[in-house]
Amino acid sequence: AQSVTQLDSQVPVFEEAPVELRCNYSSSVSVYLFWYVQYPNQGLQLLLKYLSGSTLVKGINGFEAEFNKSQTSFHLRKPSVHISDTAEYFCAVMKASGTYKYIFGTGTRLKVLA
Amino acid sequence: SAVISQKPSRDICQRGTSLTIQCQVDSQVTMMFWYRQQPGQSLTLIATANQGSEATYESGFVIDKFPISRPNLTFSTLTVSNMSPEDSSIYLCSVELGLADSYNEQFFGPGTRLTVL
């Protein structure tokens, strides 16, 4: 079975500072990895995904993530955050066998301070 | 991509009653999913609803508690029956679309925030 751990439930950061949101996963099989963002009162929006190939994945809104197989991590980074990045961020995995089932982490609330 | 709407966006209900949540998508899709997001917890898949067949429920979820309808390729409903305060959650529907890179991406609705008193 797969599992996802997001150790940081909340991350406060000042505007224009860099941020890293951590995600670790466990799986005995190959997985796809995802980061979703949820703005207040909105659905989840895909930020980026890793399916295969380059381990550094670039997504929307200036976010990127690096897949590290040896450390089973998929940390999300942004070099300079904006107030508008304040949201809940979810890491998720899916078995790379074509199944549709996501396993989500518990989420990290990013709060960008002025 | 897909645009998904849900009704109601939020509701406050009394225990023992039932609420039906509607999910409408702007394109025809085969697979629709219902998730629950309990306060401070991650999203949990309740069931998969394919048009023309019975919904498939995940462990811990049963049809009597969460009956689902899927009358056509653009619409689904989830009913939360005989509610208790423990059912207070955000309920989200999502749909799966096949994309060019052979990965079927899921798109999520805005969610229905349910509070049970």
Side-chain angles (χ1 to χ4, degrees):
Chain A
Q2 295 77 46
S3 66
V4 179
T5 302
Q6 292 181 250
L7 288 174
D8 305 307
S9 60
Q10 293 189 64
V11 174
V13 62
F14 285 103
E15 193 173 19
E16 297 184 6
V19 69
E20 178 179 86
L21 305 183
R22 297 180 294 168
C23 173
N24 288 88
Y25 71 94
S26 67
S27 177
S28 58
V29 299
S30 296
V31 295
Y32 298 147
L33 295 153
F34 310 86
W35 275 99
Y36 280 86
V37 59
Q38 186 178 34
Y39 298 105
N41 300 316
Q42 296 187 31
L44 277 72
Q45 179 182 5
L46 182 65
L47 270 180
L48 49 78
K49 61 181 183 284
Y50 172 78
L51 305 182
S52 64
S54 173
T55 57
L56 182 62
V57 180
K58 294 188 182 297
I60 62 172
N61 301 340
F63 284 93
E64 64 179 32
E66 185 156 19
F67 169 56
N68 188 318
K69 188 174 182 179
S70 63
Q71 297 186 6
T72 60
S73 67
F74 191 55
H75 301 331
L76 180 70
R77 303 186 184 97
K78 186 169 183 178
S80 175
V81 295
H82 304 288
I83 295 289
S84 59
D85 292 323
T86 295
E88 189 91 19
Y89 292 80
F90 291 93
C91 182
V93 301
M94 177 190 293
K95 282 173 60 177
S97 60
T99 66
Y100 50 79
K101 295 185 181 181
Y102 286 96
I103 305 297
F104 284 91
T106 51
T108 298
R109 182 172 299 275
L110 175 64
K111 185 172 177 61
V112 181
L113 308 169
Chain B
S1 66
V3 177
I4 304 169
S5 60
Q6 287 185 231
K7 290 182 181 180
S9 59
R10 58 179 62 228
D11 207 342
I12 300 174
C13 301
Q14 296 296 322
R15 68 170 66 213
T17 63
S18 298
L19 176 72
T20 295
I21 302 167
Q22 300 178 4
C23 178
Q24 179 78 51
V25 62
D26 67 344
S27 56
Q28 294 184 336
V29 295
T30 301
M31 300 187 78
M32 296 182 76
F33 309 91
W34 286 99
Y35 287 85
R36 181 173 71 183
Q37 185 181 7
Q38 292 179 301
Q41 298 187 32
S42 65
L43 283 78
T44 303
L45 181 63
I46 297 171
T48 303
N50 290 345
Q51 197 270 336
S53 63
E54 295 288 326
T56 302
Y57 289 84
E58 297 299 305
S59 176
F61 298 96
V62 294
I63 187 171
D64 290 345
K65 176 67 175 177
F66 298 102
I68 289 171
S69 77
R70 183 77 205 275
N72 58 52
L73 291 172
T74 63
F75 188 79
S76 178
T77 67
L78 170 76
T79 299
V80 187
S81 304
N82 188 25
M83 289 184 286
S84 66
E86 292 71 35
D87 294 320
S88 298
S89 293
I90 299 173
Y91 293 85
L92 299 100
C93 72
S94 75
V95 303
E96 182 180 80
L97 291 180
L99 300 176
D101 60 4
S102 79
Y103 155 67
N104 292 342
E105 184 173 334
Q106 285 194 22
F107 296 87
F108 289 82
T112 295
R113 186 178 296 272
L114 171 62
T115 301
V116 184
L117 303 178

